[in-house]
Amino acid sequence: MTTILSLSGVNKHFGALTVADNVAFDLPEGQALGIIGPNGAGKSTLFNLIGGALSPSSGAIFFEGRDVTRKSAAERCRMGIARSFQIPHPFTGMSVYENLLVAAAFGAPGSGGGREVCAEILERTGLMGEANRPAGSLTLLERKRLELARALASGPKLLLLDEIAGGLTEAECHDLVETVCGIRDAGVSIIWIEHVVHALTAVVERLIVIDFGRIVADGKPAAVMADPLVQEIYMGIAVDDETA
Ligand SMILES: Nc1ncnc2c1ncn2[C@@H]1O[C@H](COP(=O)(O)OP(=O)(O)OP(=O)(O)O)[C@@H](O)[C@H]1O
């Protein structure tokens, strides 16, 4: 299977703080990978490193076999890496549709966006009825959908989703999961950071756990979630408590 993304010995330090500690993994093309870990573990930093907002202190990142370690976020976006942010920041004065057109203009040439593609993305993300509304007037769910739609409009081969399910109701979360499954089934590779674990495991086939910037577990979701070490560091269930 072709590897779309490869991280090799990636380290990131902020002064004395290590937030990525020798991170290494390969993502096969078309795979949906979930990333979980406690607050402050370094998950968003990892996205910043993959997306190009930050450069690693050492190590290398390859996308489709090309070394992108020193490429800018804009260059990586044109190559096909798109990202949604934990806190959506749309162009609030522009309509939903215009927001997509802007994203398409900065994305991968030829694969994202013409007007027809943007219209199709509005449909897929449940925003067609909101196309002409100012983005600033959207609800939280609609903003999260727009964040996803903007990332799709750039024509990604790899989609990085940062906590898109947080703050949603069960029903909204279910709808969002359906949408992400549709994107996955269309062949887009996905890495999704999420605290809402049941939403994540409904979509991903592989789970990585990060703690203090290190990968501490990597495997099938059920096996990873059953790992006593993961239960202890992520869910606060001490191994001894369970056996007591
Ligand atoms: N630019 C920066 N300068 C200094 N420290 C930073 C910077 N960005 C992040 N950090 C620190 O790095 C650590 C990891 O932050 P990061 O946002 O990657 O964690 P996270 O796992 O995404 O957390 P959360 O689940 O709360 O979003 C935190 O201690 C954070 O305060």
Side-chain angles (χ1 to χ4, degrees):
M1 188 173 281
T2 313
T3 297
I4 189 162
L5 179 77
S6 183
L7 273 69
S8 168
V10 170
N11 292 290
K12 182 66 184 176
H13 312 290
F14 292 120
L17 185 67
T18 299
V19 287
D21 188 354
N22 200 23
V23 174
F25 68 88
D26 289 338
L27 184 76
E29 195 171 42
Q31 185 169 76
L33 163 68
I35 296 184
I36 62 171
N39 292 115
K43 305 179 298 297
S44 294
T45 300
L46 187 59
F47 267 13
N48 287 334
L49 293 166
I50 296 170
L54 288 174
S55 291
S57 306
S58 59
I61 299 171
F62 297 88
F63 181 67
E64 294 190 308
R66 294 170 62 189
D67 188 344
V68 297
T69 315
R70 302 292 153 195
K71 288 198 183 294
S72 68
E75 285 174 293
R76 293 187 210 191
C77 184
R78 282 194 293 277
M79 290 173 76
I81 302 177
R83 168 172 187 184
S84 78
F85 285 85
Q86 200 172 340
I87 300 170
H89 287 295
F91 297 106
T92 50
M94 296 170 81
S95 73
V96 167
Y97 182 55
E98 287 166 342
N99 266 272
L100 291 208
L101 291 177
V102 171
F106 283 92
S111 53
R115 288 167 184 272
E116 281 170 26
V117 176
C118 287
E120 187 261 327
I121 291 168
L122 286 173
E123 194 69 57
R124 274 166 83 187
T125 52
L127 285 172
M128 188 53 100
E130 326 305 328
N132 295 317
R133 276 177 59 194
S137 71
L138 299 181
T139 64
L140 175 66
L141 173 65
E142 290 164 346
R143 278 182 183 236
K144 296 220 170 202
R145 287 188 172 279
L146 177 56
E147 190 66 11
L148 186 57
R150 290 203 309 168
L152 287 175
S154 70
K157 298 171 187 166
L158 171 61
L159 183 59
L160 308 174
L161 302 174
D162 197 350
E163 294 192 33
I164 56 170
L168 302 184
T169 65
E170 256 323 293
E172 290 171 342
C173 194
H174 179 266
D175 286 353
L176 196 67
V177 162
E178 296 273 291
T179 303
V180 179
C181 282
I183 296 164
R184 176 201 64 192
D185 295 345
V188 177
S189 306
I190 294 172
I191 307 180
W192 184 1
I193 293 172
E194 189 55 73
H195 285 295
V196 184
V197 176
H198 69 85
L200 194 59
T201 52
V203 175
V204 304
E205 64 204 87
R206 175 183 174 196
L207 206 52
I208 280 179
V209 183
I210 295 188
D211 193 29
F212 292 108
R214 277 179 304 117
I215 293 180
V216 294
D218 180 354
K220 299 245 178 249
V224 167
M225 294 311 291
D227 181 335
L229 177 67
V230 172
Q231 295 191 357
E232 184 172 353
I233 53 181
Y234 186 69
M235 293 184 282
I237 302 168
V239 178
D240 286 342
D241 288 353
E242 282 213 310
T243 52

